[in-house]
Amino acid sequence: MKYVAMIYGNQAKWESFPADAWPEAIARQDAFNKKYRESGELLGAYGLADAANAQLVRRKDGAPVVTDGPYLETKEYLASFYMLDCESLERAHEIAADMPFADTDPVELWPVLHDAAADL
């Protein structure tokens, strides 16, 4: 079963993180990614740009209409997401709990109901 694990953040949180702590935090995240890529359970890990770079795209008269995002008016926004492929929900829980920062911030876990066809 596939799961999406999501981490949320906000600008104040990132700005309050000490600059000298970033190298260790990145190393911990890299180690997590390597561990679960090697086990075959991490299909992809994606960090997103700051919310100020989000855009909303709609269609009007057949053409894209782009405005600044994000869609939700909130301080918190999706900061990164991970695609997991696990034997069970319990295993997905274990991996999500093993993420760096899971001891201080929750990881949101969603089951993926289906994949799009690979030949699209």
Side-chain angles (χ1 to χ4, degrees):
M1 179 77 179
K2 290 189 175 108
Y3 298 89
V4 173
M6 298 177 284
I7 297 175
Y8 292 87
N10 63 59
Q11 198 58 39
K13 178 180 182 176
W14 308 137
E15 290 172 357
S16 70
F17 200 76
D20 60 346
W22 279 111
E24 179 186 344
I26 291 168
R28 288 177 55 210
Q29 188 62 56
D30 287 344
F32 171 89
N33 293 347
K34 183 177 189 286
K35 175 180 178 180
Y36 291 105
R37 275 197 175 107
E38 288 176 354
S39 77
E41 295 167 301
L42 178 61
L43 303 179
Y46 309 92
L48 302 178
D50 191 59
N53 295 300
Q55 296 181 324
L56 302 175
V57 180
R58 294 178 175 84
R59 183 180 56 249
K60 184 171 183 173
D61 300 324
V65 176
V66 181
T67 57
D68 290 340
Y71 180 72
L72 298 174
E73 293 294 327
T74 179
K75 290 189 326 183
E76 299 289 320
Y77 56 85
L78 184 61
S80 58
F81 66 96
Y82 306 80
M83 181 63 73
L84 305 175
D85 191 2
C86 303
E87 292 181 9
S88 67
L89 176 58
E90 292 76 20
R91 180 63 180 150
H93 289 162
E94 291 170 1
I95 293 172
D98 194 33
M99 287 186 171
F101 302 114
D103 52 345
T104 59
D105 295 303
V107 176
E108 191 169 325
L109 192 65
W110 288 58
V112 175
L113 296 181
H114 60 85
D115 291 328
D119 61 348
L120 287 180

